């Protein structure tokens, strides 16, 4: 699983050089968790990590270059994603 997260994190960093590695990894893990939990809550059968990886890749391709502009309001993640200390300059 770590290999998949590593690959997706590097894909996101290639799309958005304004993110630090830690921020990109956090986004990947958030996308992954959000998709799997939403899918499960909707009552769908688990399709495996390959299906989730495809969806996360789609998110990265669609939104990856803009993620550094998003102000995260969820306090659970706010300190990880909105902290200027983690931004590359």
């Amino acid at each position: 699983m770590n290999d998949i997260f590593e690959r997706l994190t590097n894909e996101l960093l290639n799309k958005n050089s304004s993110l630090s590695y830690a921020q990109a990894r956090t986004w990947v893990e958030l996308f992954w968790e959000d998709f799997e939990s939403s899918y499960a809550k909707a009552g769908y059968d688990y399709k495996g990590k390959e299906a989730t990886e495809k969806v996360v890749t789609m998110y990265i391709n669609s939104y990856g270059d803009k993620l550094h502009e998003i102000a995260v309001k969820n306090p659970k993640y706010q300190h990880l994603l909105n902290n200027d200390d983690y931004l590359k300059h």
Side-chain angles (χ1 to χ4, degrees), residues 18 20 23 70 77-89:
S18 295
S20 69
Q23 288 173 314
I70 296 173
Y77 306 110
Q78 194 171 34
H79 71 285
L80 296 171
L81 297 170
N82 291 344
N83 189 339
D84 287 339
D85 292 342
Y86 292 103
L87 288 175
K88 293 181 182 178
H89 294 282

Side-chain angles (χ1 to χ4, degrees), residues 24-51:
R25 178 67 180 240
T26 300
W27 275 114
V28 165
E29 291 179 15
L30 287 173
F31 284 150
W32 192 281
E33 290 175 21
D34 183 60
F35 174 74
E36 285 196 337
S37 65
S38 296
Y39 208 71
K41 286 178 188 175
Y44 296 111
D45 291 333
Y46 182 65
K47 299 292 183 189
K49 60 186 174 184
E50 294 83 11

Side-chain angles (χ1 to χ4, degrees), residues 6-21:
E6 186 71 22
R7 184 173 54 255
L8 292 169
T9 299
N10 287 323
E11 284 182 33
L12 179 52
L13 287 170
N14 285 332
K15 282 273 193 191
N16 191 330
S17 61
S18 295
L19 296 174
S20 69
Y21 175 88

Side-chain angles (χ1 to χ4, degrees), residues 68-80:
H68 65 285
E69 299 172 0
I70 296 173
V72 176
K73 294 185 176 43
N74 184 330
K76 183 176 178 181
Y77 306 110
Q78 194 171 34
H79 71 285
L80 296 171

